[in-house]
């Protein structure tokens, strides 16, 4: 079973059902039922036209669900005839669906969550981690969003800012999580940049390219994480870095700074440093100050504390960290790093071990556990 193929086809199938008259929530349910059927049937009897098969089965599932729901019998006139057999259209509806999910009837946060779940393919747990909220809270938010849009027509697409937020979160999950969506997020952002002349669209594309350029160096051959300062910079993709910097410079020249441009500027400073020791941390702190002024995101202030620790010394970083809520994800890991930089190996080892227990994924947990073990072997007995 080719799970990557199923994931790549899902947005197009979903878009076809919406265009044929299905509301979004019912279309999503029908597509999910078709995917389950594909998992059951395809290993023994793979179809010649995977997309056409999914469209046909999803449409039948939608018809069955619609006819069984007496509250929605008024829709039966629209769905009585099945579509003619044959290959499905080749158009890519993914970006359009991103805009449709950013519907004016939804709050931006609900629109982002719905799109990540329905189009991006992320689980409720992954979305909750991206939003820094409990999984149960996110499940309720997504359910409310589905109910909200279940009786509206998608003729009023949402705004660019919400679509950018969705693409950003999809990229982050693809970059550091369990589902490989980073390349897809870059592809869609390129499409968006080609049709919308907006500095923040360009800023997001630059940010993605600069981060993605380092991807090959982020893990060791055994799969373990490699921190930025320890990465082999010879493995960074210089072509992507050059493209990202060029796009960023053109966006900044328009003097309409936004948070994605500021984040890209920080990434560009890391990419520009020949070695970790030559990183311009003073400028990075300045860009974090700009970013903090644009957004009240606590993760920005957490990352700023790390930068302050590099620019002005670990105690300055710890002072900046003390002003933040210690329940913030990765707060304990940052504290461990700064205490290690300050020479307090006992405290650092303890905090690394604590951070490992809170890690959002196995790779990060293993990395933090190794950090704790490394310091425990160095401490005097």
């Amino acid at each position: 079973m080719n799970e990557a193929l199923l994931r790549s086809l899902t947005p197009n199938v979903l878009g076809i059902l919406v265009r044929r008259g299905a509301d979004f929530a019912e279309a999503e349910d029908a597509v999910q039922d078709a995917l389950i059927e594909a998992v059951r049937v395809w290993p023994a009897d793979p179809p010649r036209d995977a997309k056409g098969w999914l469209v046909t089965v999803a449409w039948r599932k939608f018809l069955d669900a619609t006819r069984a729901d007496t509250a929605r019998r008024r829709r039966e006139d629209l769905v009585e005839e099945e579509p003619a057999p044959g290959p499905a259209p080749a158009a890519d509806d993914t970006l359009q669906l991103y805009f449709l999910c950013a519907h004016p009837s939804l709050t931006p946060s609900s629109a982002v969550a719905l799109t990540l779940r329905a189009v991006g393919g992320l689980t409720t747990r992954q979305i909750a981690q991206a939003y820094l909220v409990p999984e149960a809270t996110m499940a309720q938010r997504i359910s409310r969003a589905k109910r909200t849009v279940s009786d509206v027509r998608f003729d009023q697409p949402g705004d660019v800012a919400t679509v950018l937020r969705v693409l950003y979160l999809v990229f982050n999950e693809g970059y550091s999580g369990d589902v490989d969506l980073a390349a897809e997020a870059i592809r869609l952002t390129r499409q968006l940049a080609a049709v919308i002349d907006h500095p923040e669209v360009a800023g997001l594309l630059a940010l993605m390219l600069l981060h993605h350029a380092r991807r090959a160096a982020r893990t060791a051959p055994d799969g373990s994480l490699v921190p930025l300062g320890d990465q082999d910079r010879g493995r960074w993709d210089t072509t992507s870095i050059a493209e990202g910097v060029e796009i960023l410079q053109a966006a900044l020249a328009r003097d309409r700074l936004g948070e994605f441009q500021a984040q890209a500027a920080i990434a560009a400073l890391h990419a520009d440093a020949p070695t970790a020791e030559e990183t311009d941390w003073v400028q990075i702190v300045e860009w974090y100050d700009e970013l903090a002024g644009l957004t009240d995101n606590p993760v920005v202030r957490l990352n700023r504390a790390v930068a302050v620790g590099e620019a002005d010394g670990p105690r300055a970083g710890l002072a900046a960290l003390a002003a933040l809520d210690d329940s913030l994800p990765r707060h304990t890991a940052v504290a461990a790093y700064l205490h290690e930089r300050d020479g307090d190996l006992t405290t650092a080892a303890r905090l690394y071990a604590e951070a490992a227990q809170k890690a959002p994924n196995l790779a990060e947990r293993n990395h933090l556990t190794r950090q704790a073990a490394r310091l425990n072997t160095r401490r005097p007995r």
Side-chain angles (χ1 to χ4, degrees):
M1 172 58 57
N2 191 331
E3 295 182 6
L5 174 62
L6 288 177
R7 257 200 320 272
S8 67
L9 292 175
T10 297
N12 290 338
V13 176
L14 185 57
I16 290 169
L17 265 63
V18 169
R19 289 202 308 274
R20 288 176 175 169
D23 70 44
F24 190 89
E26 290 181 341
E28 184 194 6
D29 290 340
V31 172
Q32 293 299 320
D33 288 343
L35 293 175
I36 293 172
E37 187 74 3
V39 171
R40 185 181 70 82
V41 172
W42 285 12
D45 186 19
R48 293 182 179 179
D49 177 10
K51 183 176 177 181
W53 189 97
L54 283 173
V55 169
T56 300
V57 173
W59 189 252
R60 287 173 178 165
K61 297 288 185 182
F62 169 69
L63 288 174
D64 292 343
T66 301
R67 290 170 178 146
D69 188 352
T70 57
R72 302 185 184 276
R73 289 189 184 278
R74 57 188 172 83
R75 302 187 181 190
E76 289 187 353
D77 290 340
L78 300 175
V79 294
E80 283 185 352
E81 294 187 5
E82 288 189 16
D92 184 349
D93 300 306
T94 309
L95 188 57
Q96 180 188 8
L97 286 172
Y98 272 63
F99 273 96
L100 294 179
C101 284
H103 197 273
S105 63
L106 297 175
T107 64
S109 61
S110 294
V112 172
L114 178 61
T115 312
L116 290 171
R117 181 70 185 91
V119 187
L122 275 65
T123 65
T124 302
R125 175 183 59 81
Q126 290 166 331
I127 302 169
Q129 289 175 353
Y131 269 94
L132 311 179
V133 299
E135 184 175 350
T137 300
M138 183 52 64
Q140 293 175 352
R141 184 178 300 177
I142 294 172
S143 294
R144 285 196 299 269
K146 286 183 178 181
R147 289 196 298 271
T148 299
V149 302
S150 63
D151 290 317
V152 300
R153 299 299 300 171
F154 287 93
D155 55 1
Q156 292 180 282
D159 64 359
V160 174
T162 302
V163 174
L164 289 179
R165 179 64 51 190
V166 174
L167 289 167
Y168 174 68
L169 290 175
V170 169
F171 176 82
N172 280 346
E173 188 59 44
Y175 188 67
S176 61
D178 301 324
V179 182
D180 186 3
L181 295 169
E184 174 69 357
I186 292 174
R187 184 183 70 84
L188 292 172
T189 306
R190 283 191 189 279
Q191 286 187 8
L192 190 60
V195 297
I196 296 180
D197 183 21
H198 193 291
E200 272 295 82
V201 177
L204 179 58
L205 179 56
L207 175 64
M208 289 179 175
L209 290 169
L210 289 164
H211 277 306
H212 204 60
R214 303 199 301 260
R215 187 169 189 177
R218 291 186 71 246
T219 54
D222 63 358
S224 60
L225 292 179
V226 180
L228 176 60
D230 297 332
Q231 289 176 14
D232 177 2
R233 300 183 178 221
R235 299 184 65 197
W236 290 1
D237 182 351
T238 55
T239 301
S240 292
I241 290 173
E243 182 186 4
V245 169
E246 182 180 359
I247 292 171
L248 173 63
Q249 289 174 339
L252 292 175
R254 301 176 67 174
D255 199 24
R256 291 167 56 192
L257 184 64
E259 62 174 297
F260 294 124
Q261 295 168 73
Q263 287 190 57
I266 294 169
L269 285 167
H270 283 298
D272 188 53
T275 65
E277 293 73 23
E278 296 174 85
T279 303
D280 191 343
W281 287 105
V282 174
Q283 271 204 70
I284 289 177
V285 172
E286 292 173 355
W287 275 111
Y288 271 122
D289 289 338
E290 292 278 3
L291 188 54
L294 293 166
T295 175
D296 197 29
N297 190 330
V299 176
V300 170
R301 300 188 182 278
L302 182 69
N303 291 335
R304 179 186 179 277
V306 176
V308 168
E310 299 288 353
D312 301 326
R315 295 195 179 183
L318 286 167
L321 187 66
L324 304 177
D325 186 348
D326 61 8
S327 66
L328 190 65
R330 297 186 172 90
H331 184 286
T332 307
V334 171
Y337 173 75
L338 291 172
H339 276 290
E340 180 184 357
R341 288 280 318 281
D342 195 38
D344 186 352
L345 303 189
T346 300
T347 300
R350 175 178 57 80
L351 290 173
Y352 275 130
E354 289 180 13
Q357 297 302 313
K358 306 173 185 177
N361 56 66
L362 182 60
E364 192 168 333
R365 179 182 303 172
N366 290 341
H367 170 72
L368 292 167
T369 300
R370 284 192 294 270
Q371 295 294 84
R374 173 179 59 81
L375 293 188
N376 282 327
T377 60
R378 289 174 53 188
R379 284 161 44 197
R381 299 296 180 183

